[in-house]
Amino acid sequence: MKRLAGTAVIGIGNEFRRDDGVGWATVALLREREARRPLPSGTEFAQSDGDPGRLIALWEDKALTLVVDACFPPAARPGRTHRRCTDPGGMPHPAAAGRQSTHGLGLAEALRLADSLGRGPGRLIVYAVEGADRSLGTGLTPAVAAAVPHLARRIEEDVRKHDERTRRTRLERGSPLV
């Protein structure tokens, strides 16, 4: 059984595709806030373009992985955030054909590949933020930008709760499937 430790917070996206940069913006804010109010040791922040190989390297051997990505459903309410939590080996359903993503392969496909290679994350929490604009350009739309501080607080709470639960159940950081 693989030993899992630490936490990865990964923002997926492209800062040059407007609201698709919400993952990167959230990680940037979390890094700023970390200086004032540190998260538990072993918490790492990363920005990713969503490439499956790079994602696998970021979450491999982590007890907890939090992913932030934009989504663009047909009837989007910009800034609305969805939270999905899975245990080790659990995977989100793949997106339907013709999905509205700026990534060639989606997170579900990266998770499926990682699972088949035995390199998936431990516990996974995915935050999907509904976006309005994925055209070329920088800067989030106002509704999506307004969601980022609240999202950062929720992620900080998730990381702290996981750390508390780990300590309360007396599982060591290097224990399997913390």
Side-chain angles (χ1 to χ4, degrees):
M1 187 174 269
K2 185 168 45 170
R3 295 179 64 77
L4 304 176
T7 298
V9 180
I10 305 168
I12 298 176
N14 182 338
E15 66 181 334
F16 300 107
R17 296 293 300 249
R18 304 280 305 185
D19 287 343
D20 193 44
V22 70
W24 286 36
T26 302
V27 166
L29 180 58
L30 285 163
R31 283 182 174 140
E32 280 178 35
R33 293 167 63 120
E34 169 88 30
R36 293 185 308 269
R37 191 168 173 211
L39 288 171
S41 67
T43 303
E44 298 175 6
F45 300 102
Q47 295 167 318
S48 173
D49 61 3
D51 174 79
R54 286 189 283 272
L55 285 173
I56 291 168
L58 291 170
W59 69 47
E60 188 173 19
D61 300 329
K62 297 297 182 200
L64 174 65
T65 298
L66 297 104
V67 173
V68 182
D69 197 5
C71 64
F72 297 90
R77 286 189 11 214
R80 179 168 56 177
T81 302
H82 305 270
R83 181 182 185 274
R84 174 138 188 193
C85 185
T86 63
D87 288 319
M91 292 184 287
H93 298 290
R99 67 173 185 257
Q100 304 296 314
S101 174
T102 58
H103 316 299
L105 292 176
L107 176 61
E109 291 84 1
L111 286 163
R112 198 173 308 303
L113 174 63
D115 190 53
S116 70
L117 297 172
R119 296 175 63 192
R123 183 167 184 248
L124 174 69
I125 300 173
V126 177
Y127 283 98
V129 181
E130 293 185 21
D133 184 356
R134 59 185 160 187
S135 64
L136 293 175
T138 58
L140 303 175
T141 58
V144 173
V148 171
H150 178 68
L151 179 56
R153 281 190 300 277
R154 289 176 69 186
I155 290 169
E156 289 169 333
E157 288 171 16
D158 282 333
V159 171
R160 287 191 175 95
K161 283 180 186 175
H162 175 78
D163 186 64
E164 253 177 56
R165 188 180 69 209
T166 300
R167 283 185 284 113
R168 189 176 58 244
T169 59
R170 299 176 193 248
L171 293 174
E172 308 250 342
R173 285 199 181 277
S175 295
L177 305 181
V178 173

